Amino acid sequence: MARGKLRIYLGAAPGVGKTYAMLSEAHRRVERGTDCVVAFVEHHGRPRTEVMLHGLEQIQRRELEYRDTVFTEMDVDAVLERKPAVVLVDELAHTNVPGSRNTKRWQDVEELLEAGITVISTVNIQHLESLGDVVESITGVRQKETVPDEVVRRADQIELVDMSPHALRRRMAHGNIYKPDKVDASLSNYFRLGNLTALRELALLWVADRVDEYLQEYRSEHRVSKIWGSRERIVVGLTGGPEGRTLIRRAARLAEKGAGGEVLAVYIARSDGLTSGSPKELAVQRTLVEELGGTFHHVLGEDIPSALLEFARGVNATQIVVGTSRRKAWQYIFGPGVGATVAVDSGPDLDVHIVTHEEAAKGRGLPVARGARLERSRVIWGWLAGVVGPALLTLLLTHVDVHLGLANDVLLFLTLTVAAALLGGLLPALASAAFGSVLLNWFFTPPVDRLTIADPKNIVALVVFLLVAVSVASVVDLAARRTHQAARLRAESEILSFLAGSVLRGETTLDALLERVRETFAMDGVALLERESETDPWTCTGSVGDVSPPARPEDADVDMPVGDHMALALSGRVLPAEDRRVLAAFAAQAAVVLDRQRLQSQAEHARKLAEGNRIRTALLAAVSHDLRTPLAGIKASVTSLRSDDVEWSDEDQAELLAGIEEGADRLDHLIGNLLDMSRVQTGTVRPLIREIDLDEVVPMALVGVPEDSVVLDIPEDLPMVAVDPGLLERSVANIVENAVKYNPDGEPVLVSASALGDRVEIRVADRGPGVPDEAKDRIFEPFQRYGDAPRGTGVGLGLAVARGFAEENGGTLDAEDTPGGGMTMVLTVPTAAGHLLAPPDLPAAVTS
């Protein structure tokens, strides 16, 4: 019986429309006459999804009782008995109720597939087993119900059901996914805009990888050797020479001309390790490729043109970029060169670009031998084994009354030759072979005690011994040196990789880098020296170690110049020549780190100056207008009350006094915000952190707003927070005041709170005009007022002070769109230690 087909609708999050798409496909198949039934579909009370079930045959579910509650699960036996052509099974990652036929629903699906039934199912990207840790780091929720990746990979069809995060949140806000009482909690937690965007990216990348796999499988099964240009893949052939940078940039420009172009740089080394590529140049080219968005590959191959073409066809490349040969004219007698051979053998489906460069026809030169020095102690032991060993063996064999025969004697001497090669290299082994042949001739080959040989067979034995000893010694010596060389190069590559990665990520300070140099080369001290010009004295910009830094590079044991006016000076011992390659990389990175630190310092200084100038300008504008306005009102009211020409009634006097009080309150509020902003800007805020409940702080922040303008929703089971109560109260007060100011009349501002991991969120939602995404960050800058806010309502410091105080409390303050219109301010503060709340119960569609 043929196995059934599996089709999966994959989504980034609940609510994108997987079940709806699955039911739509079922209706299309029923209309075509296919025997299609519903084994298990969960509509979660969504009206449009529920309507799609009408007209489809549904198999009765099986009821199971567990812990005094009745659950329904898919009845596998009923489906097998009915044996339809196609069956719909929703939520592939679902865990069955204990007592079911199988533990997981995907195991039920496997049974149906084995029975020859085609299955259509759904799954969300967060339920894939391999992505569990990634999803938890994004959403803060660990998915308990998962499905092995291999089950989904084996599907005959995977269709991505996609929806933008904004559209999904709108669908959620309209009540099309969950019930209204769960909408706010879902939008505030799992269905955040950032969470949905990250999950969508995971789904798109996962499906894209599967598409590549299917394409490769199809090409392999159908033996398609011809390249299919589904997208531009450009392979750059590198030799380790300086022309590689030109080739990489050229390939990058070619990739930019087509959508989705990809650059793959490949360096092909011979399997014997003999290569003329410069490790330093290859490291530079690797960095350049990665900066341009490409990938770097290092492969082995005996025939470089064939290996390059094989790699290109293996990755389904459409173009190859190689450089003009660096050979001189006379060197073409050895062959046409890599570029010409690749162009001839590429075939019609693979374009080859031969790019000229400055190194063309300048000659390749001979491969540089990279020997590895053996330690002195090993060389000494090698000479002892090769010279002293045969002498001791001869002494032993001549004084023991045991005759082993010439063949066995030759094997014993050959063993000492191999030991000499392993320990000391080629020279001790050659000396051992020569000395051993003489001893064998004198002491063990008739006639003994003479260098003549009576039996011609013994001549052959000694000659063979000498040839075998030399050959074995050469091979063993080469293997030992290659092993030593490989270990050294591996250590160098690890050091350089760590160095480049840490510096590019900005994780290394100058002192840390110099300390790394000192530890790597076992030096007593390391210093970076610099001078302005050739005539200026050297100055030390950084040093580590127990010794005082040298005054000049010439005074150090090792100096490595970096440009014309900088040098790395090391004290302690003299380094061998091969260590200077790695040291040069360290020196170059030290210069980069120093430049970056200086640029960061200059940028920070310039930022502070610009910020200070902007604040001073804004402060003058605020003082000249926003502070003078209430002062003018107070002055006018006082002048009117003091006037003797007018007799004011009690009502008029009360109105003037109320105006004076209102103006004084506005002045007090404005000056308070100015003082708070100055404290934040100068870093003089000193929070007094203590544990407190939110319901002790938030109500106090609402004292200054009308009672009917705010709806407060603070759950009693929230964990305590670790904050400065005064700073938190001021932050919340400024946020609420801003929300009330822009909220329509008659619409209350909603102030709610919820726990999320080790944080507590306070959300202040209004139904005002809102703020565009590009302006959401600007509203938190000092002296900023968005839109047509009337003058005199403030100097634009409320939200800036609120964010500053939130950050002093170890929290954050951000702006989001309110579903349905408006803006929501999200203030997060840390939870007090030991007061974490248990993870909330999410809706069933999130976890199942």
Side-chain angles (χ1 to χ4, degrees):
M1 180 181 297
R3 178 181 169 88
K5 303 288 186 180
L6 174 61
R7 178 171 182 170
I8 293 179
Y9 287 92
L10 176 69
V16 295
K18 302 181 303 300
T19 304
Y20 190 92
M22 178 177 67
L23 292 171
S24 299
E25 175 65 18
H27 280 284
R28 284 192 294 271
R29 298 199 180 205
V30 170
E31 290 173 1
R32 295 196 300 265
T34 304
D35 183 15
C36 181
V37 302
V38 176
F40 189 97
V41 168
E42 185 62 64
H43 56 73
H44 297 291
R46 301 164 188 168
R48 296 184 180 180
T49 305
E50 188 174 3
V51 169
M52 293 295 293
L53 285 169
H54 297 165
L56 297 176
E57 179 186 347
Q58 300 185 46
I59 296 179
Q60 185 70 29
R61 300 183 186 180
R62 180 185 178 189
E63 294 186 351
L64 295 170
E65 185 175 350
Y66 179 68
R67 293 183 179 178
D68 300 329
T69 304
V70 177
F71 298 90
T72 60
E73 295 287 1
M74 178 176 66
D75 193 337
V76 179
D77 293 326
V79 176
L80 293 174
E81 183 179 355
R82 170 66 173 76
K83 198 172 178 52
V86 180
V87 64
L88 273 58
V89 182
D90 205 3
E91 299 177 358
L92 186 63
H94 172 75
T95 300
N96 293 327
V97 174
S100 301
R101 182 190 189 97
N102 295 300
T103 304
K104 303 288 290 188
R105 182 166 293 164
W106 64 263
Q107 296 171 328
D108 296 336
V109 168
E110 284 294 318
E111 283 197 39
L112 300 180
L113 293 172
E114 292 296 332
I117 301 174
T118 294
V119 179
I120 304 178
S121 187
T122 65
V123 70
N124 285 326
I125 193 67
Q126 67 265 25
H127 294 303
L128 295 181
E129 182 67 43
S130 65
L131 299 178
D133 295 337
V134 179
V135 172
E136 183 179 13
S137 66
I138 294 171
T139 64
V141 178
R142 182 69 181 186
Q143 298 295 333
K144 297 179 180 179
E145 296 189 326
T146 59
V147 58
D149 288 43
E150 186 60 28
V151 173
V152 183
R153 289 177 189 272
R154 288 200 306 263
D156 299 277
Q157 285 183 271
I158 299 176
E159 182 172 333
L160 178 65
V161 183
D162 190 28
M163 176 176 286
S164 71
H166 293 283
L168 183 58
R169 284 174 59 86
R170 283 196 299 270
R171 177 181 286 186
M172 170 71 73
H174 293 158
N176 294 332
I177 300 178
Y178 297 146
K179 295 181 180 179
D181 59 338
K182 296 181 179 180
V183 169
D184 289 338
S186 299
L187 289 173
S188 303
N189 295 281
Y190 194 87
F191 284 81
R192 296 164 173 245
L193 190 61
N195 290 0
L196 296 178
T197 302
L199 292 174
R200 187 189 189 198
E201 182 182 21
L202 281 178
L204 291 171
L205 291 174
W206 197 89
V207 172
D209 288 342
R210 302 295 77 71
V211 171
D212 278 344
E213 287 183 6
Y214 293 151
L215 180 60
Q216 295 297 335
E217 288 177 5
Y218 181 87
R219 284 165 53 86
S220 176
E221 291 174 359
H222 294 76
R223 298 181 179 179
V224 179
S225 59
K226 183 179 179 180
I227 291 175
W228 289 356
S230 54
R231 63 171 173 169
E232 292 293 338
R233 281 192 175 95
I234 303 173
V235 171
V236 186
L238 302 178
T239 64
E243 77 280 0
R245 307 183 199 181
T246 302
L247 304 183
I248 292 169
R249 294 189 180 97
R250 176 63 174 161
R253 291 195 296 271
L254 290 173
E256 290 174 357
K257 295 179 180 180
E262 183 181 0
V263 176
L264 301 91
V266 56
Y267 171 69
I268 300 174
R270 297 188 185 277
S271 58
D272 57 6
L274 297 175
T275 174
S276 58
S278 167
K280 182 178 180 181
E281 183 63 31
L282 286 174
V284 172
Q285 292 172 14
R286 176 192 289 270
T287 302
L288 178 60
V289 170
E290 293 173 350
E291 288 176 351
L292 294 176
T295 56
F296 185 92
H297 305 268
H298 191 148
V299 299
L300 297 177
E302 296 297 337
D303 184 12
I304 292 180
S306 299
L308 181 59
L309 288 171
E310 184 180 353
F311 175 84
R313 292 192 173 97
V315 298
N316 200 28
T318 57
Q319 303 179 54
I320 294 180
V321 175
V322 293
T324 304
S325 178
R326 286 185 285 146
R327 294 181 175 189
K328 292 183 180 294
W330 64 268
Q331 291 177 316
Y332 281 96
I333 62 175
F334 299 108
V338 174
T341 304
V342 169
V344 171
D345 297 341
S346 60
D349 55 348
L350 189 57
D351 297 334
V352 178
H353 302 264
I354 300 180
V355 180
T356 187
H357 50 83
E358 295 180 353
E359 302 296 323
K362 290 186 178 180
R364 294 180 58 88
L366 297 175
V368 179
R370 292 188 178 88
R373 296 192 315 166
L374 298 176
E375 298 176 1
R376 185 176 181 182
S377 59
R378 285 190 58 180
V379 175
I380 294 175
W381 280 105
W383 282 103
L384 290 176
V387 178
V388 179
L392 295 177
L393 179 60
T394 301
L395 183 64
L396 177 64
L397 294 177
T398 55
H399 286 76
V400 175
D401 191 16
V402 177
H403 299 286
L404 300 177
L406 182 61
N408 292 325
D409 295 337
V410 168
L411 290 176
L412 292 175
F413 277 89
L414 183 61
T415 302
L416 291 175
T417 302
V418 173
L422 288 172
L423 293 172
L426 184 59
L427 290 180
L430 294 178
S432 176
F435 187 42
S437 63
V438 173
L439 292 178
L440 283 170
N441 188 0
W442 185 271
F443 290 100
F444 304 101
T445 305
V448 295
D449 299 333
R450 295 177 62 183
L451 293 178
T452 58
I453 302 176
D455 190 350
K457 295 181 180 179
N458 293 335
I459 298 177
V460 174
L462 289 179
V463 171
V464 170
F465 162 74
L466 184 61
L467 292 176
V468 171
V470 172
S471 301
V472 171
S474 300
V475 172
V476 172
D477 173 72
L478 179 61
R481 290 178 178 274
R482 287 286 179 260
T483 302
H484 184 83
Q485 177 187 358
R488 178 178 180 81
L489 291 177
R490 179 180 178 182
E492 288 183 3
S493 64
E494 290 177 352
I495 292 172
L496 293 175
S497 175
F498 171 82
L499 174 66
S502 60
V503 172
L504 288 175
R505 292 189 299 268
E507 300 172 352
T508 303
T509 63
L510 181 59
D511 288 344
L513 181 62
L514 295 180
E515 181 62 29
R516 178 78 177 179
V517 175
R518 191 182 70 83
E519 293 177 355
T520 301
F521 298 102
M523 306 299 286
D524 295 333
V526 179
L528 185 63
L529 305 179
E530 187 182 22
R531 61 181 177 181
E532 295 294 333
S533 65
E534 297 291 343
T535 58
D536 292 328
W538 291 92
T539 59
C540 180
T541 58
S543 65
V544 295
D546 300 331
V547 298
S548 58
R552 302 178 305 166
E554 295 82 2
D555 299 335
D557 295 317
V558 181
D559 69 286
M560 176 58 64
V562 187
D564 297 331
H565 306 299
M566 189 178 295
L568 193 64
L570 290 77
S571 303
R573 64 187 179 91
V574 178
L575 290 178
E578 57 264 27
D579 285 344
R580 294 182 67 86
R581 180 172 63 250
V582 179
L583 182 60
F586 272 107
Q589 295 289 14
V592 171
V593 171
L594 181 62
D595 290 341
R596 188 180 67 228
Q597 288 183 352
R598 288 176 175 173
L599 289 174
Q600 288 176 344
S601 177
Q602 293 172 4
E604 181 65 19
H605 182 64
R607 188 193 65 78
K608 290 182 178 179
L609 289 177
E611 182 71 13
N613 289 334
R614 191 181 67 80
I615 290 178
R616 280 193 292 271
T617 302
L619 181 58
L620 290 175
V623 172
S624 63
H625 186 278
D626 294 286
L627 294 181
R628 292 181 63 182
T629 299
L631 280 176
I634 294 173
K635 176 67 175 177
S637 297
V638 171
T639 302
S640 299
L641 288 174
R642 289 175 56 86
S643 176
D644 297 331
D645 299 336
V646 180
E647 183 175 351
W648 302 98
S649 64
D650 293 342
E651 291 81 2
D652 293 337
Q653 289 182 4
E655 184 176 352
L656 291 173
L657 290 173
I660 294 173
E661 184 178 12
E662 180 182 355
D665 290 340
R666 288 174 57 189
L667 277 177
D668 179 69
H669 181 73
L670 293 174
I671 293 173
N673 273 336
L674 287 172
L675 292 176
D676 289 339
M677 195 67 241
S678 67
R679 292 169 59 200
V680 172
Q681 292 288 339
T682 57
T684 57
V685 179
R686 296 292 183 268
L688 300 177
I689 304 297
R690 65 184 181 88
E691 297 181 2
I692 193 170
D693 288 319
L694 278 185
D695 54 10
E696 298 181 29
V697 179
V698 176
M700 299 296 297
L702 308 182
V703 174
V705 298
E707 294 183 0
D708 57 348
S709 62
V710 177
V711 174
L712 191 61
D713 181 16
I714 306 294
E716 296 181 357
D717 59 347
L718 280 181
M720 300 181 71
V721 295
V723 295
D724 183 314
L727 298 183
L728 179 59
E729 179 184 337
R730 191 60 182 271
S731 294
V732 176
N734 284 3
I735 297 171
V736 173
E737 179 186 349
N738 183 79
V740 171
K741 179 169 60 179
Y742 289 99
N743 209 42
D745 294 337
E747 285 280 347
V749 171
L750 175 61
V751 180
S752 60
S754 60
L756 183 65
D758 60 347
R759 318 287 287 180
V760 171
E761 281 188 352
I762 304 172
R763 305 177 69 87
V764 180
D766 64 60
R767 293 293 180 180
V771 176
D773 291 339
E774 62 271 13
K776 282 187 171 62
D777 286 334
R778 292 203 306 270
I779 62 177
F780 294 104
E781 297 178 3
F783 305 103
Q784 294 291 323
R785 287 181 294 189
Y786 179 73
D788 56 352
R791 305 290 296 183
T793 59
V795 294
L797 286 176
L799 293 181
V801 170
R803 172 173 274 189
F805 284 173
E807 292 174 351
E808 292 294 336
N809 272 323
T812 59
L813 176 61
D814 298 293
E816 296 180 357
D817 292 329
T818 302
M823 186 170 64
T824 299
M825 291 293 175
V826 183
L827 173 64
T828 66
V829 291
T831 303
H835 292 273
L836 294 178
L837 194 65
D841 292 331
L842 294 178
V846 175
T847 59
S848 63

